[in-house]
Amino acid sequence: MPKRRKRKVSALRMKFTKKMQEKLVLLYLAILLAFVVLIGRIMQINAVDGESYTKTVLDQQQYSSRVIPFKRGDIVDTNGTKLATSERVYNVILDVKVLLDADKDSGDYVKAVKEALQTYFAIEESTVDNLIVEKADSRYCILKKGVSYDEAQAYYKGVEENYYVQGVWLEEDYIRKYPYGTLACDVIGFSVDGNVGANGLESYYNATLNGTDGRKYGYQTGTSDVEQTVKMPVNGNTVVSTLDTNLQSIVEKHILAFNEKYKNNATQGEGAKNIAVMIMNPNTGEILAMASYPNYDLNNPRDLSKYYTDTDIEEKAKENHPDYANYTDEEWTKAVAEAKIQLLNALWRNFCVSDTFEPGSTIKPFTVAAGLENGTLDGSETYYCSGSLNVADTNIKCISYDKGGHGTQNLTQVMENSCNVALMQIAEKIGAEEFTKYQSIFGFGEYSGLDLPGNAAGILYSPEKMGSVDLATNSFGQNFTVTMVQLAAGFSSLVNGGDYYTPHIVKEIRDESGKVVETIEPVLENRTVSEQTSELLKSYMYSVVKNGSGRLAAVEGYDVGGKTGTAEKLPRGQNKNLISFIGYAPQENPEVVVYVVIDEPNVAYQGASNSLVTTLASEIMTEAFPYLGITKSQTE
């Protein structure tokens, strides 16, 4: 009988005993328990400390928040020509922490960054070295401001394949530019860092010109994904002025020519202490041109070198501080800095708006107007001038004193000859109460309402304090003060039929797309005189230019009326005078008013220099009238 073969038993099966099975079950249970504990712990962390841990994680990621600057609005003239604008530039920023994290121990990254900054932006390597030592954890260090678009593009192109340039980025910014330099500097003004207007329209309309910054938020997640949120900036609005760039250029060209002609004439120095011109639309109050000299470059407003040397500034400091010899170096440096600021403020001051002065005989039409309006005059009066008039034991001279007086004159001749004696007699009849009332009606002694900073009000007598001598001298423009804007606005009402419009220099506000968001309409404040009085005054002033003291202001082909003025400045008797001419054209329905002031012309005898201002006015009007399309004389 054959033998039965023994059945083989697997070695694995032989070893996998019951005891081992029990141990395996225990292991599974242990692992399951560990998972349960871990899940429980995670839930605890999330519920109790989740916010804290999340913050810790995010803090370890690269998080950024960058400002996107708004563009400050433009200032343009009435035709849309840009007088002030903002150009895009870039600031070079270094993230020192990113640079050092990338560099670690190699030095290649730092070297590459220093070479790139030196090559494209002329930033010294030592600047980067200092930041690495002093601000190793800084994420935002400004290395250079105002880099141009072309410079930025050259940098981007040059480093686009250079992996080692890390931590450098260009921040968008804007810089204020004034395409015409000195043109209309007093009106436009300038802005300083932080988009803050410092003068002129830049200051008055600062809130309108400014917008709102945007912001870019972003961070790099653990999976290297970049998440960003962008809030776009809101750009500022554009201010549309009433100025005409071409007309402004005409005015300033002739001002500069006058200054050059009389510079270093009687004394060393400019052609006058100040030369100022305003051109105004008498039927709306719009100012078409406003300029004065000395002027300054809006792109470099703190440069005094055109007018003063360092020695001049030091002399000014000595004048302010007579005991300067006892000063320490620190005190003297401060005194010089104060003197420079003082000179800058004087240079930036808008003469037409902020300076008050005695107007002289340009006030005489207003005195006559007051007499016609309150019934003191009817236009048929005659006056006798012997060369002076005794008022309260004070002998007050007329311009004709040395010639024995003007003799008998009607109102037309009184205005032609600019007779002080006749005006004093007229004012006496009007009386202090009525005289001061009409000064207020014409806008004197009050802020003009012009939309520029620095408006002055001038100084007037109250009727209670106005004595007979004060009334007499006020009648021909002495012993009280006005501004150019006040006189031009009041004079406009005398020639336009009696309507007083608030002077203004901005007509519209537009958004960045060009849409008009605000229109500034002419504001008719009040009626100063009747149309009949206006017509009489124009007939007198037309004769002033045709036959009288304003003959040199005539413009061929145009009917021009106006009035001259000479005011002796305080203290009297010092040969310091302010001369002026204010005129209009055409005679019927005037379309433009031109006011020219020369403060202390650089000539030997200022009191007899009216021909200077009338000639300058004529030169300006001769070029300006054809450009403006002023109606020509019907008798041409």
Side-chain angles (χ1 to χ4, degrees), residues 115-180:
E115 288 178 352
L117 293 174
Q118 172 68 42
T119 300
Y120 296 103
F121 305 120
I123 297 172
E124 296 295 332
E125 293 186 4
S126 59
T127 301
V128 178
D129 291 333
N130 292 336
L131 289 175
I132 288 173
V133 173
E134 298 172 5
K135 298 184 178 181
D137 294 325
S138 177
R139 309 299 303 270
Y140 183 89
C141 292
I142 301 176
L143 296 177
K144 189 173 184 178
K145 287 186 174 184
V147 171
S148 71
Y149 174 83
D150 290 340
E151 290 176 299
Q153 293 306 305
Y155 166 77
Y156 284 134
K157 185 176 180 180
V159 303
E160 61 184 349
E161 296 182 1
N162 189 342
Y163 174 77
Y164 290 103
V165 177
Q166 297 286 332
V168 178
W169 53 282
L170 303 186
E171 175 186 62
E172 291 184 4
D173 200 358
Y174 291 94
I175 189 170
R176 203 64 166 163
K177 289 289 186 179
Y178 303 91
Y180 292 92

Side-chain angles (χ1 to χ4, degrees), residues 388-397 424 468-470 472-473 476:
S388 65
L389 185 68
N390 189 282
V391 179
D393 297 326
T394 301
N395 191 45
I396 303 175
K397 297 178 180 179
M424 288 188 281
S468 54
V469 173
D470 305 319
T473 54
F476 55 83

Side-chain angles (χ1 to χ4, degrees), residues 179-212:
Y180 292 92
T182 60
L183 191 75
C185 58
D186 289 338
V187 176
I188 299 169
F190 56 94
S191 61
V192 296
D193 287 346
N195 287 308
V196 178
N199 209 352
L201 293 173
E202 290 276 30
S203 173
Y204 194 91
Y205 286 93
N206 189 64
T208 300
L209 292 163
N210 275 347
T212 305

Side-chain angles (χ1 to χ4, degrees), residues 4 19 22 106 116 121 126 145 158 171 216 241 260 319 326 355 365 387 413 420 432-433 443 476 577 587 596 608:
R4 293 182 65 181
K19 189 174 182 180
E22 291 174 352
S106 69
F121 305 120
S126 59
K145 287 186 174 184
E171 175 186 62
K216 181 185 290 184
S241 72
E260 287 303 309
E319 179 184 327
N326 299 321
D355 281 43
Q413 293 167 322
N420 289 350
E433 187 78 32
F476 55 83
N577 290 259
Q587 177 67 7
V596 181

Side-chain angles (χ1 to χ4, degrees), residues 429-447:
K429 289 184 179 180
I430 294 172
E433 187 78 32
E434 284 289 292
F435 186 88
T436 54
K437 183 184 87 171
Y438 275 92
Q439 282 183 316
S440 179
I441 289 173
F442 293 131
F444 302 129
E446 301 174 0
Y447 297 111

